[in-house]
Amino acid sequence: MKILHIETSSKNCSVAISDGEKLLCLCEETSENYKQSENLHTFVKWALEGAEIELKDLDAVSVGMGPGSYTGLRIGVSAAKGFCFGLNIPLIAINSLETMIEPFLDQNSDFIIPMIDARRMEVYTAVFDGKTGEPVTQTEAKILDGDSFADYSHNKVIFVGDGAAKAQEILNLPDAVYNASVYPSAKYLIKSAVQKFNVQQFEDVAYFEPFYLKEFQGVKKKKTED
């Protein structure tokens, strides 16, 4: 099965093509300016060329459903739905936090806690078992303070994601490990996407919406003086 994978929930605009669980091509770029609108369709084109297939060869599209950047998610999910409508193929959705833990599984940590920065002292996060990758808590938008995750103070914990930087400054967990260089990536959608494809766990393309967690918060423009 050939699947197009799209992940745009963070600063990393990421596209992959896989044949089953085999990665055929990956195109991604991390930018502070959130360049999903500029790069996404170019990356899809490059990934298809790199995989030496055409759009008509695709059997499904998987997408990182969030949580994360409101605009990034809208861009990625809209593109994914467009491909599914046009090609009449199924849509698979995967929690974007899950794509951040795969490289750290079974690496001697009791728990892996991915964090996506949600501005100020808030992060999108969940706790996952460090060996199995199974979720221990539900995904939430969490405001960090010194007592956050205190229940894990006696465990081996690794925090990953761009939200881990501010977590390290405020959490009272001196033995925890922090890796702020990790972003959701399309290549880590592959395993879960194949599993869902095999059991036909598909989304309703017409009604599927990203997992925002919070409503969009725009920036108000200051009124100009006469």
Side-chain angles (χ1 to χ4, degrees), residues 16-37:
I17 304 284
S18 70
D19 187 354
E21 292 193 12
K22 180 182 179 182
L23 175 65
L24 298 181
C25 190
L26 173 69
C27 295
E28 62 182 5
E29 180 184 15
T30 302
S31 170
E32 292 295 324
N33 298 322
Y34 291 90
K35 293 185 177 180
Q36 290 91 336
S37 61

Side-chain angles (χ1 to χ4, degrees), residues 9-190:
S9 65
S10 70
K11 297 173 184 177
N12 187 36
C13 181
S14 182
V15 174
I17 304 284
S18 70
D19 187 354
E21 292 193 12
K22 180 182 179 182
L23 175 65
L24 298 181
C25 190
L26 173 69
C27 295
E28 62 182 5
E29 180 184 15
T30 302
S31 170
E32 292 295 324
N33 298 322
Y34 291 90
K35 293 185 177 180
Q36 290 91 336
S37 61
E38 299 174 32
N39 292 340
L40 179 57
H41 288 279
T42 300
F43 285 3
V44 170
K45 178 176 180 290
W46 288 349
L48 289 167
E49 291 174 351
E52 298 182 339
I53 66 171
E54 298 179 14
L55 276 173
K56 64 181 179 61
D57 298 319
L58 294 174
D59 297 299
V61 178
S62 84
V63 66
M65 63 185 282
S69 161
Y70 185 96
T71 302
L73 287 171
R74 288 207 70 81
I75 292 168
V77 169
S78 295
K81 291 172 71 171
F83 288 128
C84 290
F85 269 124
L87 298 168
N88 194 28
I89 56 177
L91 174 67
I92 300 167
I94 297 159
N95 189 313
S96 295
L97 293 176
E98 291 181 20
T99 76
M100 302 168 68
I101 68 170
E102 188 171 324
F104 304 96
L105 289 175
D106 211 8
Q107 298 291 316
N108 232 9
S109 294
D110 296 319
F111 301 100
I112 306 167
I113 304 178
M115 290 182 166
I116 296 175
D117 192 353
R119 297 181 182 178
R120 299 184 180 88
M121 291 314 300
E122 193 169 21
V123 293
Y124 301 122
T125 189
V127 179
F128 294 84
D129 185 279
K131 187 174 182 64
T132 66
E134 291 296 314
V136 177
T137 67
Q138 292 185 338
T139 299
E140 63 176 330
K142 187 178 186 69
I143 298 175
L144 298 176
D145 59 39
D147 295 325
S148 298
F149 302 103
D151 292 345
Y152 302 94
S153 59
H154 300 295
N155 299 108
K156 294 181 178 178
V157 179
I158 179 168
F159 293 90
V160 299
D162 61 355
K166 61 187 178 187
Q168 186 172 11
E169 295 176 358
I170 193 171
L171 297 184
N172 295 317
L173 297 171
D175 296 326
V177 175
Y178 300 85
N179 187 333
S181 65
V182 179
Y183 292 95
S185 174
K187 65 183 174 182
Y188 295 122
L189 292 172
I190 293 174

